[in-house]
Structures are given as C-alpha cells and as structure tokens.
Amino acid sequence: MDRPSRKWWMLAIVSAGFVVMTINWFNIAAGFGQISETFRLDIPQVALLISVFVIGYGVFHIPGGVLATRMGMRWVLALGLTVEGAAAILSAGANDFTTLLVFRVLCGVGASVFAAVGVAAVSVWFQHRHHALALGVK
C-alpha cells in the first residue's frame, strides 16, 4: 500500500464487500414466493438458488487465489466484486429459471474470487498492532 490512509479505505471497501456478499448469499430468499409464482415452481426447487450460489462460491476459491498471485490483490478484489454485482443485477432481469440459476452461480463465483483474497489482503496491508483490529473490522 502506498499511503497509510489508503489501507483504511481499502479495509472499508473489503468490509463492505463482505457485508454485500453475505446479503447476496441469502437475499434471493425474500423473493421465493414471487419466483415460485412467476416460474411455476415449488419452494424446494426455488431453494436451489441458494445452493447454486454456494456451488459457485466453493468452486472458485482456489482460482481466486491463483488470480491474485498473477494479477495483484486489489485488481482481483475489484474483479470479484464486479462479477458478483453484475450477476446480482442480471438476476433481477432473468426471463426463466435456468437463466436465474446461471446468474446465481456467477454471483457465487464473484463472491468467491473476492473472498479468496479479502482476508489475505487485509493481513498484508495491516501489520503488528493494527492486524487484529483490521481482521475484526473485516
């Protein structure tokens, strides 16, 4: 990190990213009724939308770390947040259940790439006495 204040801004972004990731993981549940009605599905079928997010999240954790090694942590953090955010927005316009499933997987992929680097980035940017504080805030 270049300036000491920059790392605190990055901590704020990383912390907000983890909050958004958590919300994004389960926000789909609020729409279960409407999704079920729109696509004529039972609730257990609609609950698959949470599971596919987790599948995307689980599969891309290691590739996220590989990307960070090759391209840098800040870039990969931004990439993960962008993919997650774009997929979440595109989910709202899905015309069929399959498309919605694909966007939810992509949302999990973006979250995974972000999360794979988030804790490591905070650990690199904050050393010694600030390290525990930063990890607690994150």
Side-chain angles (χ1 to χ4, degrees), residues 28 39 86-95 100 103-104:
I28 200 82
F39 299 125
I89 291 168
L90 291 169
S91 293
N95 293 326
L100 183 55
F103 287 142
R104 292 297 296 164

Side-chain angles (χ1 to χ4, degrees), residues 35-102:
I35 294 167
S36 176
E37 185 179 307
T38 300
F39 299 125
R40 293 181 172 77
L41 302 167
D42 294 327
I43 293 298
Q45 291 171 297
V46 180
L48 182 62
L49 293 168
I50 292 176
S51 299
V52 295
F53 179 96
V54 175
I55 289 168
Y57 184 86
V59 169
F60 273 82
H61 228 61
I62 292 173
V66 172
L67 279 175
T69 301
R70 292 186 179 168
M71 300 175 182
M73 286 189 280
R74 280 187 258 177
W75 191 88
V76 173
L77 283 168
L79 174 66
L81 288 173
T82 301
V83 169
E84 181 184 4
I89 291 168
L90 291 169
S91 293
N95 293 326
D96 57 58
F97 189 64
T98 302
T99 303
L100 183 55
L101 283 171
V102 168

